[in-house]
Amino acid sequence: MTVIANILIVTSILVGLIFTFVTMIGILRLPDVYTRAHAASKSATLGVLSILLGVFFHFWLKEDHFSISLLLGIVFLFITSPIGGHLMGRAAYMSGVKPTDLTVGDDLKEAVNEAREQNMKRLKD
Amino acid sequence: MMTFIWVSLILVVLSMIGIMFRVFRGPSVPDRLIALDGIGVMLISAIALISILFDTAFFIDVILLIAIMSFIGTVSFSKFIEKGEIIERDRNR
């Protein structure tokens, strides 16, 4: 029983460590704000989720302490971290940070121009 | 087992230090914001590993607290970058 618990804990924490390291490499190496936000919001979320799952298994299987607040923390991070990534990307676009030259399309530009024109028309009336 | 937890804690702290490099020399302000959010997320996993090392379950509540404060900080900073003010008083609405 202890061996199975150890295998579960070590596997979860190892997967979390790999994703945390991938996050660091992505933030240091990618060329752009938006690609860095992609790396930081997705793989960091999965890494911290996996590490917290390993800690949850440790407290549940080896010390008989079923911690509800750790599960609540996992659910909270899983909801709020992509929202934070989306907000940061939108703030970067609105404050005028240019994407790299490798970027192919920009679909948000037309929507932003259309909303700006409608706003000007509403202000004129 | 304890050796594995120590090594993983050291690796998490090393990746926090690597992200700190981007905080110092990011070309724009949203770069630094993204790196600080990553540091907050990694701080949560470091505290989870520390609570295994110290053999106590009282640090689990600190995880929730740091997650909530980090989310509020991210939202308010991105709103500040986008609009220039955090709490707006728009009375003509």
Side-chain angles (χ1 to χ4, degrees):
Chain A
M1 192 59 198
T2 325
V3 178
I4 300 175
N6 276 338
I7 288 174
L8 264 178
I9 296 163
V10 168
T11 312
S12 306
I13 293 181
L14 209 60
V15 171
L17 276 182
I18 291 170
F19 274 103
T20 307
F21 236 73
V22 165
T23 304
M24 184 196 72
I25 295 171
I27 285 184
L28 284 185
R29 291 282 299 171
L30 286 176
D32 194 5
V33 179
Y34 308 103
T35 48
R36 277 176 209 147
H38 156 78
S41 68
K42 290 174 185 73
S43 70
T45 308
L46 196 53
V48 74
L49 242 66
S50 184
I51 287 181
L52 286 186
L53 208 62
V55 175
F56 173 72
F57 280 143
H58 174 269
F59 279 115
W60 183 26
L61 297 176
K62 298 181 88 173
E63 303 191 7
D64 286 335
H65 179 263
F66 191 86
S67 76
I68 299 291
S69 60
L70 199 48
L71 281 182
L72 192 62
I74 291 175
V75 172
F76 187 80
L77 271 173
F78 190 67
I79 292 173
T80 59
S81 186
I83 297 175
H86 173 76
L87 277 176
M88 285 185 292
R90 202 182 62 173
Y93 191 88
M94 291 301 173
S95 68
V97 178
K98 295 282 181 228
T100 60
D101 301 332
L102 300 173
T103 307
V104 178
D106 190 0
D107 286 341
L108 190 54
K109 198 172 184 178
E110 304 170 3
V112 168
N113 284 335
E114 193 174 329
R116 200 164 281 161
E117 280 179 8
Q118 278 187 2
N119 213 354
M120 290 300 289
K121 197 185 295 178
R122 200 188 65 195
L123 280 183
K124 252 180 218 171
D125 289 342
Chain B
M1 193 68 189
M2 280 302 145
T3 317
F4 174 71
I5 303 293
W6 271 112
V7 169
S8 53
L9 179 64
I10 288 172
L11 283 181
V12 169
V13 172
L14 272 185
S15 50
M16 277 170 72
I17 291 172
I19 287 182
M20 194 67 91
F21 183 72
R22 180 57 73 190
V23 175
F24 283 143
R25 68 168 291 246
S28 63
V29 182
D31 269 322
R32 293 169 194 192
L33 176 59
I34 285 165
L36 279 177
D37 188 63
I39 283 179
V41 168
M42 284 176 191
L43 192 65
I44 292 170
S45 52
I47 285 175
L49 293 175
I50 283 175
S51 79
I52 287 184
L53 280 180
F54 284 178
D55 204 4
T56 169
F58 293 110
F59 283 149
I60 301 297
D61 299 335
V62 181
I63 289 174
L64 263 179
L65 191 67
I66 290 183
I68 294 170
M69 295 304 280
S70 162
F71 178 62
I72 292 175
T74 303
V75 170
S76 56
F77 254 114
S78 57
K79 195 169 180 186
F80 176 71
I81 289 174
E82 191 171 340
K83 284 187 177 177
E85 60 184 349
I86 297 175
I87 301 170
E88 46 189 327
R89 292 180 178 168
D90 204 358
R91 288 186 179 170
N92 301 322
R93 196 180 287 186

